[in-house]
Structures are given as structure tokens and as C-alpha cells.
Amino acid sequence: MGFRLSGALVAALVLAVVGTARVSAQVVGTPSAAEAAQTSGLIPIDPDVRQGVLPNGLRYVVLANPRPDGAASLRLLIKAGSFEEADDERGIAHFLEHMAFNGTRNFPEGTLQARFADAGIAFGRDQNARTSGFATVYTLDVNAADDARLDLAFDWLSDVADGLDFDPEAIEREKGVVLAERDGRLGPAWDYQQRYQAFIAPGLRGPARPAIGEVEDIRRIDAARLTRFRNLWYRPDNAVLVVVGDLDEAAIVARIEAAFGGWRATGEGGVRAAAGTPDLSRPLDVMVAAERQQGTGISLCRVQPYVRQGPDSFSRREFYIARSMWLSIANRRLARLAQGDNPPLVNASFSTSGWLRESAYTCLTVAPRSDQRWREALDAAVDELHRLEAHGVRPDEIERNVLAQQKSSAEAVANAGTRFSSALANALLSSEGGHEVDGAGFVSPAESLRIYDLIAPRMTPERVNAAFRADWSGSEPLIAVTMPAPPTDRAVRGAWRAADRRRAPPPSTAPAGEAWAYADFGPASAVASREEIAEPGFVRLVFANGVVMNFKSVAFTRDSIQISVRFGDGVRELDPADQNPARFAAQFFAVGGLGRHSYMEMTDLFPGRRYQQSLALWSDTFVMRGSTRPADLELQLQMLAAAFADPGFRSDFDSVRATNVANLYRQLRTDPGFIASESLLTAVQPGSPRALPARETVLSWDQAAFRRILSPALSGAPLEVTVVGDVDEATAVRLVGATFGALPPRPPRDARRADAWFLRYPERVEPVLAEHEGSTERGLVTLTWPLFVGSPEQRREQRVLSLLRSVLNNRIRDEVREKLGASYAPSVSISLLDNADQGALQVSVETRPDQIAAVRAAVVEVAALIAAGDIDAAQLEAARRPALDAALTERETNTWWLQTLDGSSRDPRSLRDALDWTDQYRSLTVEEVRAAAARWLSTPPIVVEVRPKVVPVVAPVTR
């Protein structure tokens, strides 16, 4: 509980760096006649894919894949979505999708989720659906695809095709669910997006039809309208079924024929709606918006008609490769511009997008460093635009991108045999596209790399520059400016015209090369001890300098290695006043660079190399992590070790951080969930050091403060390194020994403070009423039952409570979503960390403000029934089975091994926790869950209700 810095904040600051080693490659020049002959025509689908069409017109796509073992993924695509809706039925495609979970021919209302849960298939996680402009997709992932589960899956999907039940009472209840889902999206961001779409795409059909629909149209939906839409579009010749898994293809085809062969269309099919066209004659236009709760920004877009690229072909791939090339080059230049001396902008970027099959846009977006410097920011970004227009891209920039893609594609080839069926099913689905929206194609990774290598020589500066000029054409710019007190549209027009008249700056130059400063840490340590730990099966080594290394060689994901380094005592060693700055420091640590290299300098030094660095603050430790491949393991370990030996704490990104913090504070006030969390924390422990500080306080934190807080642990705490992945032990020992093993010895330390702050609940807390500044249609209620402070001695009780959470979640979803229709996604969570915050079980329900009281009463009633013992064996298994089935594939991932081994030297009990949880979970009884419910749910919960802030209406002044 308390303020948590969103990862999105950091994502806005840091470039996604993809690069490759510098290998010899021909990336410019004219392709030979032989190459040209190989790069003409369409690209056929992967021959391992089995395709067919039933006599009724249903297309099916089947692919055998062994990972996960015994699992299968199914996708049913209906090629219709919101674009085909009539003016008075906006939202009906999405509503029809909802009804597929309400009642069907083989699954009467109220039985679907229970039957799937009993089969280990969790609603939301394994069974879901989505609706977009031209598609409605139903998804099923079956972890153990035996005959009974496959029967269940095919029965439901065939019901979706032609067996839906449109019960009038169920329809009325579902309206509340859909409206609650829509309400959850409302707020300043939604409001602005609607105005922006109306400005940039007037008259187009797609933007006027978001899949969620319009309130008045949703309310008029009835069985007749649903039946009409289904008959028009839910037809076998308008559908595709995708099945991927560890299955016999012939047997699956037989199942498809049996389940879907009797599907017959009813009446005439739908006529596709006509696409609109953008007005290319539209002159320069400007929209200014006073957005008090949104970030400051400038967007310049040029619009063109949507142009189909056709099915997968060499020409199509060349088109998109050239586009991605200029975008990557231009955006890297803009990122470097934002890191200059006192830059006027914090970030800027180009992007391309489209409104389905109607229009295409190329946009330049700019985030000024401050509202007052918006003109400077615009000038700086437009200067880079002019530089690209006048001088184009450089050959070395193309080389960097080609090599990066080649390296990435080579990784995909290495990992081809380890892909999960769910990912392959999604990729096959993407290859289908939508009506007049072309699919991406589906070929093997090896074939994709071969195709790229044939196209790469065509990526000359002339070809990439031509792609840029084609994309940056069309209409005159459409400019949108948002800030709390925006300039006038006349001022924006003048600023653009002045910027557009500026002379192009000189050509860009390649950054100067320099040597990597952290290639040598001194003499490597010898291994002082080596121990083989039979269960679960890994090696633990200790180097002479005291560094501990847990090691496991696995190849679940080929060409991939994950690394974790634990050190220090985390929150336990911090002054309470330093908890929040420490969280900020951890989030911004990577962009602080190293002592001898800035963050951007490292990206220049190692284009295309794969490395990663993240730092997290936990209750009892700090954790630094990296992810790489065998070819880059040495570099990755050097970077991680350098972060301990010579951290940078550079101020390069301070201006970016300050601007994003200011934007974050504007937005948080509109988020009911954040307001609920902060209000509960304030009520439970007033003056908590974890509460969100004043914005001025956060802005006062700088890299010097971050250095003061983090340096003691970075420089002095013992290190436990865990390496898991596609690498042999000898290599891992050699490289860890040369980096972490070469650091000075670090004696044991206990930096835990007696006054370290953790959350504790008082005996009683009065209900809390709070207000948010977002949409007037959004409300939220949370009910929190305090638990205990976790410890290994109470592990079984913690697992009982975890199972109780699942039971409660299922019951509340049935009551609040299905019966009341008052919320889209009520949730139940549990927090129980060892020796940290006091645990809690919390129900959170977002609903309309006028339904808060009813929702609160319903949750209290459900909790009271469960506390009184109203839990049976069927409910227990419906909660337990999906978790156990998901565990079937967990050990086949690098992530499971990293999480299991990480920290196991510091806390050997963690191994046992990871190994015995499934057996213990199976052994939990109804009596234990009932006892836990009686113990913990019998007391009144802490209630927080969040409603929209009432803004007083000021009467107009009459004269």
C-alpha cells in the first residue's frame, strides 16, 4: 500500500535500445539479378501450417507445437467488429462478445465459468475475448489438453458460432457490466482523445465507432438486435479457427469437422460498410486544449489515404522495413537532442498510424521541458525534421538498424523450437488480418531472416529517404497543443510557420567512438567452493572474494540468459524518510549511466548488443537484474558489475524526470484507484513515509540524493548472483569470476535499522470517503480485511488464504458482475510478505457512483456468508484447479528457475517454498478454508469509497 512509481513514467524517459554487435554485413548497394529474382512475388505461409476449408466455408489453421507439453491454444476469429455497426447500434459487436460468456446451448447461464474452472481453465487468464474494428476474437488456452478438456473447449467455441442464448433478463444485466467497463475508461484522457479524434479525423467512420460503444446504443440493445447482428456476421464463411498445440493434427481436424461442420448461416450475410476518405485539401489546422490533468504536448500530423500493401510479399516487407528504418533513425536523433545541454524538450518522436482502412497518419509529437518553452521545443523538433528532409539518413545509421534486426532475427531462429503455443496462435491470428486490412503473414523465423537478408541490400540512403518523404506527405499539418493554459491557435499557427521557415541545420554526424571503460576489473577470483543441490537441481558456487553464484543451465528459451543480483537489506536499511526517494532512485538508476559513460554513450558504444539493467527495492533486499544472450553475456555482466563498482548517478535525465513527475501529478488526481490507496494509507497510518509526497518534494530529489541513499548498499553489501539460461557452467563461472568475482571482498554486514517503517493496521478504522477529479461516471469502493505479518512458520496459513482469495473472487464476480451487473472487473487481492507490511485481503470494485452502496452491501454479504462457512468442495476446486494447471508449465520457463534460485543462499527456506507449494496446495481442505474465512472475514472491513469531486456551479454574472 502507498505510492508506487509506475513503470510507465520511466518508459517515457528511456529509449528502447535494440542493437547488435558490429559484424561484417553488406547493407548498401544494388541487389544482383539472382537476388532480384528471389525477391519477387508473394511469400507463402509456413509449410508446417495445415490449412483447410469446411464445406460450409469455415477456414481452419492447425499447427503442431510441443510447448508447453500437452497444452493447446484455440482462437476463433469472426471477421466483424465495430466498423460494421449501424449508427444506432454502436457497441453491439462487443456486447455480443459479452453474451458468449453468459449462456449458450451447452452452457446454461451461470455454469460456464464453473465448468471451465473445474477443468483448470481460468476466466480472464485462459478464456477471454476481444472486439476491435474488424474482428471479434475468442481465445482459449488449455494447459492440459486431454480429450475431456478439448471436448469442453470445442463445445463452447461451437456454441459461440451458432448457439448463443439471448435471454432478455441476462441482456439487461449485461448492460450494467458493459456500461461499467465503459465507465472505467472515462476521464480526462478519454475526453481529450474523443476531441482529438474529431479534430484529426472528421467524418471518418472508424474513429466514431470505438468497440465499447455509446451509452444510448448500449441501452437499446435487445435480443432482436443481437440476433440480427449475429446472423449477418457470425457465419462460417466469415470465420477462421486457429488451433496450435501438442496435438495430433489429423485428430484436431476431425474435431473441427465434428464441432463446426453443422454450422449453417442464417439469411443473407452483411454488406461491408463503405470506408471514408480523408480530406487532403484541408489547410493547416490547429486545435488547442486546456488540459489541467494531462501532460503538456504538441502533435503535428499529416494525413494520407489508407493504401493496402496487399498480402505478405517481398514488396510489402520492403515497404515496412524502409518505414521502420527511417522512424528508428529519426527517433534516435530526437532522443539524443533531448539529452543536450538544457534542452527545450524532454522527448520527441515520429510515429505512423491509421484509422483502419480509411486514412494513414505520420505524426511528430513533442513534449516541452516546460509549458513556457513550447515554442523552443517546437523549433528544436522541426529543426530535426528539416535536417532529415534536407540531408537524409547516413549509411552508418542504416547499418546499425540492419545489424540490429539481423541479430534479433537470429535470436528468433535459435528460439524457434521453444515458442509457446499461445504465442504462435496469436501470430497465426495476426496473419489473417481483417476486411481490407492485410495480415502480417506467417513464416518460420529462419525464413523471415532469409527474406530480411535478401531485402537488406536495398536499404540504401536513397530508398530510406524516399520512404520518409512518402510518409511525410499528404495534407498540410494538423497541429494539436495541450497544456493547462495553452496558447491561442493563432500563436500556434505563427509558431509553426516561423519554425517551418527556419533554414535546415547542417547534416548530422556519427557520434565519436570511444573505448569501453569496464572491460577489465582486475584479477578474477577463483572458485572457493562448489555445491550441487539435487532438488530442484542446480549448482551453487562461492568465489574467493565472497560472491555467491547460483547457476542453472536451461534451454527452455534458446539464446536467452537471465541474471539477478541481490544485495543489501532493502527497506530494512533505510531511514523511513528515504523510502520514497529510494523507490524513485531505483526506477531512475539505469538512466543515471556509469561513472565513465552516460546512458546514451553506452547505446552508441554497443549498437544492437542485448543487455538490460533494472533495480528494484524490496522489503528485505535490493535486486538488480539483467537479460541477455550468450554472445553478450560478458558485456551484460560487465555492465552489472560496473553499476556496483562505479555507478554514475548522472543528471542527464533530470529534466526529463522533472517534467514527467509534473505530468504524473496532474494525472494521479483523476485515478480513483490511486486516490483509494492513498486515502486508506492516510487513514491507517497518518503521516506515513510511504504516502505520496508533495510534488515540490519529489522535484527536489536529484541524483546526489539518490547517490546518498543507494551508495552504502551498492558499494558495501555482499552480493548473491543468480544466472539462469542458455549457457554452460564453465562459461558462466569464467565470466562471473572476471566481473563480480574481481570486485573487492565485501564482509558480511547487517544494516537493518530498528526504526525501519512497515505498515501496521490499527484495531479499528472508520469508513473513509474520498474524491477524485476524473470522470463523474466513475466510482470505486474497496473493502480491506487486515491479516497478519507473514513468516515462513505461517506458510500453510498463507496458502489457505490464497485459496480463500480465489474462492472470494469467484463469488464476488458472480454477485457483483453477473447478478448485479454493477462492475466490469471486480477484483480480490492478497498481500502477505514475510516480515514486512502487515498482510491484507482487499476487494476492489469500480462502479458507478450511484451503485457504490449496493456494491458495498453485496460484498459484505458475500464475505459474511463465506465467513459463516458457506464454502463447498466444488467452489474450492473451481478456485484451486486453474492454479494447479497453470503450474504444469511453470518449470519450463527461465523465469521460474530465476525466481526459485534467486536469494536461495540468503534464505534457504525459499527453495522449499517453491518446491512444495503445489503438493501443499492440493492438500488444503475445505475445513481449513472455512476456518480461515471465519477467522479473518468475520471482522468488519476497512471501507474506502471514492466518488467524483463535485465542482460547484458558478452562476453567470448578468449586467
Side-chain angles (χ1 to χ4, degrees), residues 259-272:
F260 292 92
W263 183 10
R264 296 290 181 267
T266 301
E268 295 294 324
V271 177
R272 299 286 178 182

Side-chain angles (χ1 to χ4, degrees), residues 148-178:
R149 289 178 175 85
L150 286 175
D151 286 344
L152 191 70
F154 275 88
D155 283 349
W156 180 63
L157 288 177
S158 65
D159 277 7
V160 169
D162 66 347
L164 298 183
D165 178 15
F166 297 140
D167 177 73
E169 292 184 2
I171 292 171
E172 290 306 309
R173 286 192 297 272
E174 200 63 27
K175 288 179 183 179
V177 176
V178 173

Side-chain angles (χ1 to χ4, degrees), residues 487-498:
T488 65
D489 64 345
R490 180 177 179 180
V492 174
R493 291 172 188 272
W496 160 254
R497 291 190 175 105

